[in-house]
């Protein structure tokens, strides 16, 4: 039922089994990328990401994930990012062992890297994609339907959606772990039993189907949702900003200033020289200003923060989606194709970008969210006054 074969990958320079295939990059170039990107850069960034996402999760829990939808969603994103960077760190460690090629370890480094860290890292990256799409959709509705968003997106509903995303994505990868698994295999050449990857007969069919759905169709859909929602959010914010400037230049007051104007009217109503005409103009001004929905300052800050996070996500994850489509056009860009070295170099850069995306959200939160910054400073007993949003 099982075949104890592993993918064609050799760490012996000049590199792979297919030395007669020139490709575009030399084996030495590919080897240097393996050492620099897969092992050093991805390993260091993933360590940073583990620390930052643990901090993010603690901060969001302290804020109360059941109180606000955005807090619950960002907490779920922190969990997904933490899983991504943790599996990436394990992947980097396995890659370092693979490059060192020790002969006395009781497992095959490539097999462990492929099953225990490679596929799980990709799986949790897909979870991050869909949670980011949900965040983008939620904040887009916040500016498009500001008076209904709190009824549509509650904290409990967001937590339910996040849990469903985790379960659905993990469930979609179960066939991969069924057809590709680790097992103790006897090596006839050395007469030593090692933990290696074994395949079932359905492996090829399952992997082809899931690669098209999980690596092309679903990422394209989630990326499209993020891009469309981010563009709509930016357009709405720009329109709101132009409206405020236009009404400021026209002498109209904003909706937030309407209360202050009414108070001033009441204070001056007893003045004998306050004419009925002036009263009418003031009331008309207030009515005109309040007819256009305006997002509060707090909501605007949150929307801008989420928009920035989505922009970083698009920059860091779009190369992966583009690479999948390039492989459809140029099938030789594969681990056993003519351009195998280019394949590994491109994927190393893709993994690095995705790891960076899962590690730097803390900078956005701290810079753009006063509420997060306040809780962060309280967590680490930092001196200085903070202002609550």
């Amino acid at each position: 039922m099982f075949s104890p074969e592993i993918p064609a990958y050799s760490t012996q320079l000049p590199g792979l089994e297919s030395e007669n295939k020139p490709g575009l990059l030399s084996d030495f170039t590919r080897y240097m990328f393996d050492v620099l990107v897969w092992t050093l850069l991805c390993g260091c960034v993933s360590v940073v990401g583990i620390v930052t996402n643990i901090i993010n999760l603690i901060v969001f829990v302290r804020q109360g994930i059941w109180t606000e939808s955005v807090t619950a969603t960002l907490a779920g994103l922190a969990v997904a990012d933490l899983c991504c960077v943790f599996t990436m760190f394990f992947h980097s460690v396995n890659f370092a062992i693979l490059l060192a090629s020790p002969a006395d370890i009781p497992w095959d480094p490539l097999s462990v890297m492929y099953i225990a860290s490679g596929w799980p890292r990709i799986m949790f990256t897909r979870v991050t994609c869909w949670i980011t799409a949900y965040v983008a959709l939620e904040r887009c509705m916040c500016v498009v339907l500001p008076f209904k968003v709190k009824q549509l997106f509650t904290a409990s509903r967001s937590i339910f959606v996040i849990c469903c995303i985790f379960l659905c994505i993990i469930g979609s990868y179960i066939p991969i772990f069924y057809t590709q698994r680790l097992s103790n295999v006897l090596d006839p050449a050395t007469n030593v039993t090692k933990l290696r990857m074994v395949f079932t007969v359905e492996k090829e069919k399952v992997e082809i189907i899931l690669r098209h759905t999980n690596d092309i169709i679903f990422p394209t859909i989630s990326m499209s949702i993020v891009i469309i929602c981010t563009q709509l959010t930016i357009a709405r914010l720009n329109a709101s900003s132009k409206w405020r400037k236009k009404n400021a230049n026209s002498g109209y007051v904003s909706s937030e200033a309407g209360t202050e104007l009414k108070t001033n009217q009441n204070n001056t109503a007893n003045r004998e020289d306050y004419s009925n005409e002036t009263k009418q103009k003031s009331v008309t001004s207030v009515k005109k200003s309040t007819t256009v929905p305006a997002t509060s300052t707090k909501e605007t800050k949150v929307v801008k923060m989420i928009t920035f996070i989505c922009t970083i996500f698009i920059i860091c994850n779009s190369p992966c989606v583009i690479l999948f489509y390039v492989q459809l056009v140029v099938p030789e860009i594969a681990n056993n194709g003519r351009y195998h070295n280019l394949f590994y170099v491109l994927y190393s850069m893709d993994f690095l970008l995705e790891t960076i995306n899962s590690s730097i959200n803390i900078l956005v939160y701290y810079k753009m969210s006063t509420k997060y910054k306040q809780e962060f400073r309280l967590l680490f007993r930092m001196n200085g006054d903070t202002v609550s949003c």
Side-chain angles (χ1 to χ4, degrees):
M1 181 179 180
F2 294 97
S3 172
E5 298 177 358
I6 62 174
Y9 188 110
S10 174
T11 57
Q12 302 294 327
L13 292 179
L16 298 165
E17 297 178 355
S18 52
E19 296 180 12
N20 58 332
K21 300 178 180 180
L24 296 176
L25 299 178
S26 66
D27 292 321
F28 179 76
T29 301
R30 180 271 182 94
Y31 179 78
M32 294 306 296
F33 268 87
D34 288 346
V35 175
L36 178 62
V37 180
W38 285 110
T39 306
L40 296 179
L41 292 180
C42 287
C44 293
V45 174
S46 61
V47 170
V48 174
I50 291 173
V51 176
T52 58
N53 282 290
I54 291 176
I55 294 174
N56 288 341
L57 192 56
I58 293 174
V59 170
F60 292 135
V61 170
R62 284 167 62 97
Q63 289 180 351
I65 60 175
W66 292 98
T67 57
E68 292 185 2
S69 175
V70 64
T71 304
T73 307
L74 293 181
L77 182 61
V79 173
D81 284 338
L82 179 61
C83 293
C84 287
V85 294
F86 182 79
T87 51
M88 187 67 246
F89 173 74
F90 190 40
H91 196 78
S92 297
V93 172
N94 284 327
F95 214 105
I97 298 174
L98 176 64
L99 294 177
S101 300
D104 55 345
I105 59 174
W107 70 86
D108 176 62
L110 177 60
S111 298
V112 174
M113 181 183 70
Y114 199 73
I115 294 296
S117 59
W119 279 116
R121 197 216 69 90
I122 295 175
M123 178 179 67
F124 287 117
T125 300
R126 300 294 173 263
V127 175
T128 298
C129 291
W130 282 104
I131 294 179
T132 306
Y134 179 76
V135 172
L137 178 62
E138 179 187 15
R139 288 302 96 185
C140 181
M141 292 297 101
C142 181
V143 296
V144 175
L145 301 173
F147 301 117
K148 295 183 179 180
V149 66
K150 291 187 179 296
Q151 289 75 28
L152 294 175
F153 296 91
T154 62
S156 57
R157 288 179 182 175
S158 294
I159 292 175
F160 176 76
V161 172
I162 298 301
C163 292
C164 289
I165 291 174
F166 269 95
L167 292 176
C168 291
I169 297 299
I170 292 175
S172 68
Y173 278 87
I174 288 178
I176 288 288
F177 295 108
Y178 173 76
T179 58
Q180 306 173 31
R181 61 184 77 174
L182 294 173
S183 180
N184 289 319
V185 178
L186 177 65
D187 186 357
T190 59
N191 198 31
V192 175
T193 300
K194 284 191 175 185
L195 190 67
R196 294 169 61 95
M197 181 166 59
V198 295
F199 299 146
T200 65
V201 293
E202 302 91 354
K203 181 256 180 185
E204 293 295 334
K205 294 181 179 179
V206 169
E207 187 167 330
I208 290 175
I209 295 174
L210 292 183
R211 276 194 175 277
H212 281 79
T213 56
N214 292 351
D215 292 345
I216 298 178
I217 298 176
F218 290 163
T220 301
I221 296 174
S222 60
M223 182 69 66
S224 299
I225 293 174
V226 174
I227 293 175
I228 294 172
C229 291
T230 302
Q231 291 296 323
L232 289 175
T233 303
I234 293 174
R236 182 69 178 182
L237 289 177
N238 290 336
S240 178
S241 178
K242 291 179 180 179
W243 178 84
R244 289 192 182 95
K245 291 180 180 179
K246 178 181 178 181
N247 283 275
N249 294 332
S250 301
Y252 292 136
V253 294
S254 66
S255 59
E256 295 178 355
T259 303
E260 182 181 354
L261 179 58
K262 289 180 180 179
T263 303
N264 292 334
Q265 290 175 356
N266 292 331
N267 292 335
T268 58
N270 295 326
R271 297 181 183 177
E272 295 180 354
D273 57 344
Y274 192 77
S275 64
N276 292 330
E277 182 180 357
T278 305
K279 288 183 180 180
Q280 186 62 34
K281 288 182 178 180
S282 299
V283 174
T284 303
S285 175
V286 172
K287 289 182 178 179
K288 288 184 178 180
S289 64
T290 55
T291 54
V292 179
T295 307
S296 66
T297 303
K298 178 182 177 181
E299 289 294 335
T300 302
K301 288 182 179 180
V302 175
V303 169
K304 288 182 178 180
M305 181 184 70
I306 299 301
T307 302
F308 201 77
I309 292 173
C310 292
T311 302
I312 296 175
F313 169 81
I314 294 171
I315 294 173
C316 293
N317 287 268
S318 56
C320 176
V321 178
I322 295 173
L323 182 56
F324 288 140
Y325 284 100
V326 170
Q327 286 184 273
L328 294 178
V329 179
V330 187
E332 288 296 322
I333 301 179
N335 61 340
N336 57 354
R338 176 178 179 179
Y339 306 116
H340 48 265
N341 288 337
L342 179 61
F343 168 84
Y344 283 106
V345 168
L346 291 176
Y347 266 98
S348 68
M349 298 304 299
D350 170 58
F351 272 45
L352 177 59
L353 286 174
E354 291 176 343
T355 307
I356 292 174
N357 174 71
S358 296
S359 304
I360 64 174
N361 284 342
I362 189 172
L363 301 178
V364 182
Y365 299 149
Y366 190 84
K367 182 69 176 178
M368 305 187 70
S369 174
T370 309
K371 186 177 180 181
Y372 179 93
K373 186 176 182 179
Q374 180 186 27
E375 196 64 50
F376 180 92
R377 295 173 71 87
L378 289 174
L379 177 64
F380 289 98
R381 306 291 195 274
M382 298 173 67
N383 297 325
D385 297 328
T386 55
V387 181
S388 177
C389 267

